[in-house]
């Protein structure tokens, strides 16, 4: 049985940490909790989990944004499926959930970035989910 649920309670956020940590391995539990809670409070961040048989199998984090380039859009910050649960369509279900949320809330697009080395993810976004590759993302630590 599959269930999709937005995580808002601290204990639910903590429950999602082991899966999120597969993608965001630089975070320890305390910094993860702090960042998620601050992003929810200040940046309209949403954390959603897909449960299979009562256990979290995948998570997605997203937030609504407005820029002159994209207009009103949703930025997918995080999307990860538990390693032993991949290739079951869970990422597709979560990304479709976000796309539906965007449509219902009058946003025109969904955008995300993906690490250069993640060629399998790129194929998923382009071939399976019909996303266009539109830019490179640049970053400078200061």
């Amino acid at each position: 049985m599959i269930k999709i649920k937005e995580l808002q309670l601290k204990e639910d956020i903590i429950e999602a940490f082991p899966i999120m940590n597969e993608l965001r391995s630089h975070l320890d539990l305390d910094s993860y909790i702090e960042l998620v809670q601050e992003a929810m409070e200040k940046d309209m961040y949403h954390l959603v989990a897909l449960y299979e048989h009562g256990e979290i199998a995948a998570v997605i984090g997203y937030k609504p944004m407005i820029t002159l380039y994209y207009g009103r859009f949703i930025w997918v910050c995080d999307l990860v499926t538990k390693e032993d649960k991949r290739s079951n369509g869970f990422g597709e279900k979560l990304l479709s959930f976000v796309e539906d949320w965007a449509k219902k809330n009058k946003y025109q697009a969904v955008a995300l970035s993906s690490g250069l080395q993640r060629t399998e993810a790129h194929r998923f976004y382009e071939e399976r989910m019909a996303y266009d590759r539109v830019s490179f993302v640049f970053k400078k630590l200061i």
Side-chain angles (χ1 to χ4, degrees):
M1 184 172 118
I2 303 292
K3 176 183 166 188
I4 295 176
K5 171 185 158 186
E6 184 162 359
L7 308 180
Q8 296 175 320
L9 300 175
K10 185 176 181 179
E11 55 265 25
D12 293 336
I13 294 166
I14 291 169
E15 184 184 5
F17 176 70
I19 292 90
M20 183 66 80
N21 197 234
E22 289 185 27
L23 179 66
R24 306 294 180 217
S25 57
H26 64 285
L27 295 175
D28 61 29
L29 179 60
D30 290 336
S31 57
Y32 159 79
I33 293 167
E34 182 181 332
L35 287 169
V36 169
Q37 290 179 325
E38 184 177 2
M40 286 177 169
E41 179 185 318
K42 295 181 179 176
D43 215 14
M44 296 176 58
Y45 180 80
H46 298 257
L47 183 61
V48 175
L50 181 145
Y51 290 80
E52 181 189 43
H53 305 297
E55 292 189 10
I56 297 177
V59 292
I60 192 166
Y62 66 95
K63 62 183 180 176
M65 294 181 68
I66 301 169
T67 66
L68 297 179
Y69 178 65
Y70 286 121
R72 292 174 43 84
F73 72 103
I74 302 303
W75 182 257
V76 175
C77 307
D78 318 284
L79 174 58
V80 60
T81 298
K82 193 174 175 184
E83 188 172 13
D84 64 350
K85 300 287 186 177
R86 293 184 184 151
S87 299
N88 287 306
F90 298 153
E92 182 176 353
K93 285 182 182 2
L94 284 176
L95 206 47
S96 295
F97 173 90
V98 171
E99 291 171 4
D100 291 343
W101 189 95
K103 287 175 195 170
K104 287 178 195 165
N105 290 279
K106 297 185 169 70
Y107 288 88
Q108 293 102 6
V110 175
L112 55 88
S113 68
S114 180
L116 295 171
Q117 75 284 3
R118 301 196 51 180
T119 55
E120 291 298 313
H122 304 163
R123 192 168 70 232
F124 165 74
Y125 295 129
E126 292 175 323
E127 295 176 12
R128 183 105 182 204
M129 299 304 297
Y131 279 63
D132 295 320
R133 192 179 303 216
V134 296
S135 69
F136 287 101
V137 176
F138 295 90
K139 173 183 165 182
K140 179 179 180 180
L141 296 177
I142 53 173

